[in-house]
Amino acid sequence: MNITVWNEFRHEKENQVVADIYPEGIHGAIAGFLEGEDHVVRTATLDEEEHGLTDEVLNDTDVLVWWGHKAHEEVSEEVAEKVKQRVLDGMGLVVLHSAHFSKVFKKLMGTTCDLKWREADDKERIWVVDPTHPITEGLGEYIDIEKEEMYGEHFDIPAPDELVFVSWFEGGEVFRSGATFKRGRGKIFYFRPGHETYPTYYHEEVQKVIQNGVKWVNNGGTPKNVYGNAQPLEKISEK
Amino acid sequence: MNITVWNEFRHEKENQVVADIYPEGIHGAIAGFLEGEDHVVRTATLDEEEHGLTDEVLNDTDVLVWWGHKAHEEVSEEVAEKVKQRVLDGMGLVVLHSAHFSKVFKKLMGTTCDLKWREADDKERIWVVDPTHPITEGLGEYIDIEKEEMYGEHFDIPAPDELVFVSWFEGGEVFRSGATFKRGRGKIFYFRPGHETYPTYYHEEVQKVIQNGVKWVNNGGTPKNVYGNAQPLEKISEK
Amino acid sequence: MNITVWNEFRHEKENQVVADIYPEGIHGAIAGFLEGEDHVVRTATLDEEEHGLTDEVLNDTDVLVWWGHKAHEEVSEEVAEKVKQRVLDGMGLVVLHSAHFSKVFKKLMGTTCDLKWREADDKERIWVVDPTHPITEGLGEYIDIEKEEMYGEHFDIPAPDELVFVSWFEGGEVFRSGATFKRGRGKIFYFRPGHETYPTYYHEEVQKVIQNGVKWVNNGGTPKNVYGNAQPLEKISEK
Amino acid sequence: MNITVWNEFRHEKENQVVADIYPEGIHGAIAGFLEGEDHVVRTATLDEEEHGLTDEVLNDTDVLVWWGHKAHEEVSEEVAEKVKQRVLDGMGLVVLHSAHFSKVFKKLMGTTCDLKWREADDKERIWVVDPTHPITEGLGEYIDIEKEEMYGEHFDIPAPDELVFVSWFEGGEVFRSGATFKRGRGKIFYFRPGHETYPTYYHEEVQKVIQNGVKWVNNGGTPKNVYGNAQPLEKISEK
C-alpha cells in the first residue's frame, strides 16, 4: 500500500508552539506512525510544486491522508479537482480534524461542512458507537484526550454511511467525530481530533484509529465502472 | 407552498417530436399537474435572465423542480451555486430524469452521477422497495411505463438516505430510480423517468410520485443553524 | 389520527415520589399533551385485560406510544407479538426511555438494546444532529434537562435509519437519544428521556418532540404488500 | 478463520434432482469452495444432535453460513436463539437464498422477511450497485445466472446498512439480492441465489461472492461491550 500524507505545513513554520510539538511537521509525525512492512509512506505539502500532488504521485497513491487548516483557499482548484477525481476513481481518503473545511472534502460531501468550535482546553472523550467497525479494532470503549479544541454539532455533513465515533466535550457539546463515506469507487474516513497546538498525534489510540482508518479506506485495485450508451442485454420487443 | 418548475426548454424548440408532446414545454406540463389549492406554481427556464432564478424567485421558492438534459453546461456557475446554497438553506429539490447530470445535482452529490443509458423503447417497470415512504402514497406495487429511455447501474451517486424505487428494464438492466438525500437543511428527491421524446409526464402515477415528492421535500421554515466560535455551556476545568 | 398511550403503570402505584410527579400516571401526562383537534387519544396499561391492547384497540390505533420499565417480562408474549405485527402492518410506534428494553422494541430491532445507565441527577443536553428532520420542528439547537437518568453508549441497536438527536451527559457520556427506524410498513421513533422520578414529560420541548414524533410515525392507510407465489409479468423464454 | 456451513439437508435426501446436483449436499458443495489455507471449514446439518450446532461448535465458529428452506420450523427455538446470540456477540453470518425465512435471520431482522417467488426458470442478472464494496472484489458489472428461482420485491427487510447487489429477472421483477447488516457485534450478509434444483453453487462468480462475503463478515476478536450501571467519568454537580 502506498500512502501519501498531505499537510498544509504552515502553522509549524509560523508558530513556535506548534513547531515545538511537531518538529518534523504534522505530516512527519503522522508518516512516522504509519510506516510499516506493507506500506510505503510519502509526504507532500502545500508549498511544494503542485502542492506535492503531481499526477505521478496521485496515481501512485492508494491512500491519501489530509491535514489542513488556515490555507484551504491556497490549494489550487486544479489540484483539489484532481484529488477529488482520484478518490472517485478508488483512492482512499482519510480527512483529519480541520480538513473538514478543505476543498477536497467539501467537494466530495456537497455541503458546507461547517461546525461549532472553541479553543479552550476542553477535555474530549471519543465514544465508540459502532464497535463492529474495523476502524475500532484494538480500542476500548472510548478514547480520552486531556485537552483539545472543541468541535460541536450541528456538523453540516451528509448523514454518514457509518457513524463510528461520537465525541463528548467538557464544555457541553457532542460531535460525530468518526464517520465513513463512500463516493464513486473511493472510501473516505473523517476523524476529528488533531488541533495543531496539542500533541494529539502522539496519542497512541489516536494513532491506532488513523492506522485502522488507512487500512479501511484502502480499496485495492477496483476496476473502472462502465458508463454511457449501452447495448441491450435482452431483446426489446417491437411496440 | 411556493413551487418553481425549472426547465432547460430547448428540446421543445428544436425537436418537433418533443414540441408535439409538450406544447407548453415540459415545465408547463409539470406545473399543470402540480397546481393546487395550497400551492403557487411558477416556471423558469434557461434562456430567461439569470435562467429565471433571480434571488427574488429563489428566496420565494419552497420547492424547486429541475429538468435539464442537453445544456447543463450553459447554466452559469453563479446560478448553480446559488441554487445549491438555497437547498443547503432549506429549499426542497426534486431532480428529474436527465437532471442527474445537472450542475446543481452533481455539486450536491459530490460524485459524477454517471450511469448507463439507451434510447430503444425499453419497457420500464418501477418497483416500490420502500412502501413505508410518503412518496409512494397512493401507488400500487409498481408503475409500468410502456416505452422509456433506459438508465442502468452503476449509478454513481452516494448511497441514498432512502431508496424508494428500483426500475426494471426490458433490455436487462436495473436502476435505483427513486432516491432521497438530505443535504444541509434541504431535502432532495431524485426520480428517474421523463425522457423528452416520451409522454411520461402525462402518466398519472408518475404525476402522483412527483406530487408526493414535492410535498416530501418541502421542509417548512426551518431556522438557520448556528456555526462558528462558541462559548462553553459548562464550566471547563483548569488543567 | 387515533393514538394509544401505553404505560406499565407500576411505579406510580408503588413509589410515592413517582405518584406525586405523575398523579394521573405517566400515560395520563403524555395523553394530556397529545390531545388535539385531529387526534383521539386513548390510554392502556399493563394490569388491564390483555394489557388494554385488545385486537379492537390495536386495529383502531394509528400510533402507539410505549412506556415501560420494571415489568417488561410481564407483558405477555401474545400481546407483544400482536403489537409487533401491527407495527409491521403499518401502525406507528413511539418508544420512550426505558422501553428500549420492552419486548416489542427488542423484537423489532433484533438486538439486545442494552446500554449503560446511572441514576445520579446528571444534567442532559439533547443536541439536534439532523435539523432537516420533521421531528425537530420548532426546536432550537438543543434541549436542556436539568436532571435525568443517564443512558450511555454503547447502545446496542441497529444503525438507525435516521439519527436525529445525540445526548451529552454531565458525567461524561454520550447517547444516540433520538433515532428512527422503518420496519415492515411501520415507522418507529425512539426517544430517550423520561425517567419516572423526574418531571421530564412536563418539559415543553420534550413534549414538542413527542408530538412531532407521533405525527412522523403516523403512516396513513398504506395498503398491504403482496407476497408469495407470483405469475411472471413478462414472457420467460424456453431454455 | 473457522467457518461452519449449516444446511437443512433434506431436499438432497428426498428429491433425486437435488441429490444429483449436490451429491455431497449443498453444505458439501459450499464447504468445498470455501476451503483454503487460512480457513478451517466444518459442516453441520438439521438432523444432527442439536442440529450440529453445539456450544462447542458455535463458540469455535467465526463465520456461519446458513442454507435452509422447507424445514425452518424444525430448527429448535433454543438453537435459533443461541445462534442469534452468537451473532450479536461477534460471529459473522452469511444467509443464503431461502434462508431469508430462517428463524435466525427473522429474529435478527425483526421483520417478516417475506418476498415474492416463482419457480419458472427465469434468467437472473445480479447487478453490482456498490462497486466499492469488498464483497464485489473480482467481479465484473454483473453476474448472469441462466436459470434460477425468482425472488421479487417487496422484500420485507429493514433498509440494509449497505445495498450491494440488485437482481433483474426475466419475468419482470427486481430484488435487493445482496445486502449487509450489522447487529450487535456481528456482521451479516444476505445473498439471494441458490435454489436447490439449480447448480447455482457451482457458478464461479456466485462462489466468489460467497468467499468474499465470508471474509467480510469475519469480525476478528472484538471484545465484549460493557453495559449496565456505570459510575460517572466526570464530577456531577449538586443541584
Side-chain angles (χ1 to χ4, degrees):
Chain A
M1 191 189 345
N2 293 319
I3 304 169
T4 302
V5 179
W6 192 90
N7 181 18
E8 193 178 278
F9 197 29
R10 289 280 176 84
H11 290 287
E12 297 92 328
K13 294 174 184 163
E14 297 167 11
N15 180 339
Q16 193 56 42
V17 174
V18 183
D20 287 349
I21 298 174
Y22 294 114
E24 315 294 323
I26 287 174
H27 53 294
I30 293 172
F33 65 78
L34 287 179
E35 264 153 24
E37 268 182 42
D38 307 329
H39 308 155
V40 177
V41 185
R42 239 182 317 222
T43 63
T45 57
L46 180 63
D47 292 328
E48 295 172 52
E49 188 97 17
E50 297 183 53
H51 315 319
L53 298 172
T54 59
D55 287 352
E56 205 190 329
V57 168
L58 278 177
N59 291 334
D60 194 39
T61 297
D62 297 306
V63 175
L64 181 65
V65 179
W66 194 279
W67 196 100
H69 184 212
K70 61 190 294 187
H72 295 310
E73 286 315 304
E74 295 182 45
V75 173
S76 78
E77 269 299 300
E78 199 193 334
V79 169
E81 275 298 326
K82 261 191 211 171
V83 172
K84 176 189 163 183
Q85 196 51 54
R86 269 291 292 147
V87 173
L88 297 181
D89 287 346
M91 181 178 71
L93 181 68
V94 175
V95 176
L96 294 175
H97 188 63
S98 40
H100 73 92
F101 255 175
S102 61
K103 284 186 178 179
V104 171
F105 190 58
K106 287 198 294 185
K107 279 174 189 289
L108 284 162
M109 295 296 104
T111 56
T112 67
C113 302
D114 213 341
L115 47 76
K116 286 195 182 61
W117 58 271
R118 174 174 64 238
E119 295 184 48
D121 292 353
D122 278 78
K123 179 187 277 194
E124 176 176 15
R125 180 170 296 117
I126 303 172
W127 286 92
V128 173
V129 300
D130 181 356
T132 311
H133 205 286
I135 285 178
T136 68
E137 204 180 298
L139 302 178
E141 293 195 282
Y142 56 80
I143 300 172
D144 264 346
I145 302 181
E146 199 51 28
K147 295 195 262 186
E148 250 289 356
E149 184 182 13
M150 183 282 295
Y151 275 10
E153 295 284 342
H154 176 245
F155 185 18
D156 185 25
I157 48 171
D161 291 338
E162 299 167 310
L163 180 62
V164 184
F165 299 111
V166 171
S167 284
W168 174 98
F169 287 97
E170 194 178 1
E173 289 86 0
V174 297
F175 194 73
R176 287 170 293 168
S177 53
T180 74
F181 306 89
K182 295 190 251 183
R183 292 295 183 269
R185 301 195 83 98
K187 293 162 89 175
I188 302 167
F189 173 51
Y190 175 79
F191 189 47
R192 197 211 78 85
H195 191 62
E196 67 273 6
T197 58
Y198 301 107
T200 301
Y201 293 123
Y202 298 111
H203 189 300
E204 276 187 31
E205 287 165 302
V206 168
Q207 293 183 354
K208 183 72 189 152
V209 171
I210 297 172
Q211 288 160 349
N212 289 344
V214 162
K215 247 193 276 181
W216 186 82
V217 299
N218 182 29
N219 207 12
T222 56
K224 293 212 176 231
N225 294 317
V226 181
Y227 298 112
N229 200 342
Q231 291 305 306
L233 299 161
E234 307 292 330
K235 194 173 159 21
I236 294 168
S237 62
E238 304 283 324
K239 293 187 193 78
Chain B
M1 187 185 356
N2 292 319
I3 304 169
T4 302
V5 178
W6 192 89
N7 180 17
E8 194 179 276
F9 197 29
R10 288 282 176 84
H11 290 287
E12 297 92 328
K13 294 175 187 165
E14 298 167 11
N15 181 339
Q16 193 55 43
V17 175
V18 183
D20 287 348
I21 299 174
Y22 295 113
E24 315 292 323
I26 288 175
H27 52 294
I30 293 172
F33 65 79
L34 287 179
E35 265 151 23
E37 270 183 40
D38 308 329
H39 307 154
V40 178
V41 185
R42 237 183 319 226
T43 62
T45 57
L46 180 63
D47 292 327
E48 295 173 51
E49 189 96 17
E50 297 183 55
H51 314 321
L53 298 172
T54 59
D55 288 351
E56 204 190 329
V57 168
L58 279 176
N59 291 335
D60 195 40
T61 298
D62 298 305
V63 174
L64 181 66
V65 179
W66 193 278
W67 196 100
H69 182 213
K70 61 189 295 191
H72 296 310
E73 286 316 303
E74 294 182 46
V75 174
S76 78
E77 268 301 298
E78 199 193 334
V79 168
E81 274 298 326
K82 261 191 211 172
V83 172
K84 176 189 162 183
Q85 195 52 53
R86 270 289 294 145
V87 173
L88 297 181
D89 288 345
M91 181 178 71
L93 181 68
V94 174
V95 177
L96 294 176
H97 189 62
S98 42
H100 73 93
F101 254 176
S102 62
K103 284 186 179 180
V104 171
F105 190 58
K106 287 197 294 183
K107 279 173 189 289
L108 284 162
M109 295 296 105
T111 57
T112 67
C113 302
D114 213 341
L115 47 75
K116 287 196 180 58
W117 57 271
R118 176 175 61 239
E119 296 184 48
D121 291 354
D122 279 77
K123 177 187 281 196
E124 176 176 16
R125 180 170 297 117
I126 303 173
W127 285 93
V128 173
V129 300
D130 181 356
T132 311
H133 205 288
I135 285 177
T136 68
E137 207 181 296
L139 303 178
E141 294 196 283
Y142 56 81
I143 300 171
D144 263 345
I145 302 182
E146 198 52 26
K147 294 195 262 183
E148 249 290 355
E149 184 181 13
M150 183 283 294
Y151 277 9
E153 295 284 343
H154 177 243
F155 184 17
D156 186 24
I157 48 170
D161 292 338
E162 299 167 309
L163 181 62
V164 184
F165 299 110
V166 171
S167 283
W168 175 98
F169 286 98
E170 193 178 2
E173 290 85 1
V174 297
F175 194 72
R176 288 170 291 167
S177 53
T180 74
F181 306 89
K182 294 191 252 184
R183 292 296 182 267
R185 301 193 82 98
K187 294 163 89 175
I188 302 167
F189 173 51
Y190 174 79
F191 189 46
R192 198 212 77 83
H195 191 61
E196 67 273 6
T197 58
Y198 301 107
T200 301
Y201 294 123
Y202 299 110
H203 189 299
E204 277 187 31
E205 286 166 302
V206 168
Q207 294 182 353
K208 183 75 188 149
V209 171
I210 296 172
Q211 287 161 347
N212 289 343
V214 163
K215 249 194 274 182
W216 185 83
V217 299
N218 181 28
N219 208 11
T222 56
K224 290 212 176 228
N225 294 316
V226 182
Y227 297 112
N229 200 344
Q231 292 305 306
L233 300 161
E234 307 293 329
K235 194 172 156 25
I236 294 169
S237 62
E238 303 283 323
K239 293 187 191 79
Chain C
M1 191 189 347
N2 293 319
I3 304 170
T4 302
V5 179
W6 191 91
N7 180 18
E8 192 178 278
F9 198 28
R10 289 281 176 86
H11 290 286
E12 297 92 328
K13 294 174 186 165
E14 298 168 11
N15 181 339
Q16 192 57 42
V17 174
V18 183
D20 287 348
I21 300 174
Y22 295 114
E24 315 293 323
I26 288 175
H27 53 294
I30 294 173
F33 65 77
L34 287 180
E35 264 152 24
E37 269 183 42
D38 307 329
H39 306 155
V40 177
V41 185
R42 239 185 314 225
T43 62
T45 58
L46 180 62
D47 292 327
E48 295 172 53
E49 189 96 16
E50 297 184 52
H51 314 320
L53 299 172
T54 59
D55 287 352
E56 204 191 327
V57 168
L58 280 176
N59 291 334
D60 194 40
T61 297
D62 297 306
V63 174
L64 180 67
V65 180
W66 193 278
W67 197 99
H69 182 213
K70 60 190 295 187
H72 295 311
E73 287 315 305
E74 295 182 44
V75 173
S76 78
E77 269 300 299
E78 199 193 334
V79 168
E81 274 298 326
K82 262 190 211 171
V83 172
K84 176 189 162 183
Q85 196 51 52
R86 269 290 294 148
V87 173
L88 298 181
D89 287 346
M91 180 178 72
L93 181 69
V94 174
V95 177
L96 294 176
H97 190 61
S98 41
H100 72 93
F101 254 175
S102 61
K103 284 185 179 180
V104 171
F105 190 58
K106 288 197 294 185
K107 278 172 189 290
L108 284 161
M109 294 296 105
T111 57
T112 67
C113 302
D114 213 341
L115 46 76
K116 284 195 184 59
W117 57 272
R118 176 176 60 238
E119 295 184 49
D121 291 354
D122 278 77
K123 178 186 279 194
E124 175 176 14
R125 179 170 297 115
I126 303 173
W127 286 91
V128 173
V129 300
D130 181 357
T132 312
H133 205 288
I135 285 178
T136 69
E137 206 181 299
L139 302 178
E141 293 196 284
Y142 56 82
I143 301 171
D144 264 346
I145 302 181
E146 199 52 26
K147 294 196 262 186
E148 249 289 358
E149 184 182 14
M150 184 282 294
Y151 276 10
E153 295 284 343
H154 177 246
F155 184 17
D156 185 25
I157 48 170
D161 292 340
E162 300 168 309
L163 181 63
V164 184
F165 299 110
V166 172
S167 284
W168 176 98
F169 287 97
E170 195 178 1
E173 289 86 0
V174 298
F175 194 73
R176 287 170 292 167
S177 52
T180 73
F181 305 89
K182 295 191 250 183
R183 293 295 183 269
R185 302 193 84 97
K187 295 164 88 174
I188 302 167
F189 174 51
Y190 175 80
F191 189 46
R192 199 213 75 85
H195 191 61
E196 67 273 5
T197 59
Y198 301 107
T200 300
Y201 293 123
Y202 298 110
H203 189 299
E204 277 187 30
E205 286 166 303
V206 168
Q207 294 182 354
K208 183 74 188 150
V209 171
I210 297 171
Q211 286 161 348
N212 289 343
V214 162
K215 248 193 275 182
W216 185 83
V217 299
N218 182 28
N219 208 10
T222 56
K224 292 214 176 224
N225 294 316
V226 181
Y227 297 112
N229 201 343
Q231 291 304 307
L233 300 161
E234 306 293 329
K235 194 170 156 23
I236 295 169
S237 62
E238 304 282 325
K239 292 186 192 82
Chain D
M1 189 186 352
N2 293 318
I3 304 169
T4 302
V5 179
W6 192 89
N7 180 17
E8 192 178 277
F9 198 28
R10 288 281 176 83
H11 291 287
E12 297 93 328
K13 294 174 186 165
E14 298 168 10
N15 181 338
Q16 193 56 42
V17 174
V18 183
D20 286 348
I21 299 173
Y22 294 114
E24 315 293 322
I26 287 175
H27 54 294
I30 293 172
F33 66 76
L34 288 178
E35 264 152 25
E37 270 182 40
D38 308 328
H39 308 155
V40 177
V41 185
R42 239 185 314 226
T43 63
T45 57
L46 180 63
D47 292 327
E48 295 172 53
E49 189 96 17
E50 298 182 50
H51 314 321
L53 298 172
T54 59
D55 288 352
E56 206 191 326
V57 168
L58 279 176
N59 291 334
D60 195 40
T61 297
D62 297 306
V63 174
L64 181 67
V65 179
W66 194 279
W67 197 99
H69 183 213
K70 62 190 291 188
H72 295 310
E73 286 315 304
E74 294 182 45
V75 174
S76 78
E77 269 299 299
E78 198 193 334
V79 168
E81 275 298 326
K82 262 190 212 172
V83 171
K84 175 189 164 185
Q85 196 52 53
R86 270 289 295 146
V87 173
L88 297 181
D89 287 345
M91 181 179 72
L93 181 69
V94 174
V95 177
L96 294 176
H97 189 61
S98 41
H100 73 92
F101 254 175
S102 63
K103 285 186 178 180
V104 171
F105 190 58
K106 289 198 293 185
K107 279 171 188 290
L108 284 161
M109 295 296 104
T111 56
T112 67
C113 302
D114 213 340
L115 47 76
K116 285 195 181 60
W117 58 270
R118 175 175 61 239
E119 295 184 49
D121 292 352
D122 278 77
K123 179 187 277 196
E124 175 176 16
R125 180 170 296 117
I126 304 173
W127 285 92
V128 173
V129 300
D130 181 356
T132 311
H133 205 288
I135 285 178
T136 69
E137 206 181 298
L139 302 178
E141 294 195 282
Y142 57 81
I143 300 171
D144 263 345
I145 302 182
E146 199 52 26
K147 294 196 263 186
E148 250 288 359
E149 184 183 12
M150 183 282 294
Y151 277 10
E153 295 283 345
H154 176 246
F155 184 17
D156 185 24
I157 48 170
D161 292 339
E162 300 168 309
L163 181 63
V164 184
F165 299 110
V166 171
S167 284
W168 175 98
F169 286 97
E170 194 179 3
E173 290 87 359
V174 297
F175 194 74
R176 288 170 292 167
S177 54
T180 74
F181 306 88
K182 295 192 251 183
R183 292 296 183 268
R185 302 194 83 97
K187 294 164 87 175
I188 302 167
F189 174 50
Y190 175 80
F191 189 47
R192 198 213 75 85
H195 191 61
E196 67 272 5
T197 59
Y198 301 108
T200 300
Y201 293 123
Y202 298 110
H203 190 299
E204 277 187 30
E205 287 166 302
V206 168
Q207 293 183 354
K208 184 74 188 149
V209 170
I210 297 172
Q211 287 161 348
N212 290 343
V214 162
K215 251 195 273 181
W216 185 83
V217 299
N218 182 28
N219 207 11
T222 55
K224 291 212 176 227
N225 294 317
V226 181
Y227 297 113
N229 201 342
Q231 291 304 306
L233 299 161
E234 307 292 329
K235 197 175 155 19
I236 294 168
S237 62
E238 303 284 324
K239 292 185 195 80

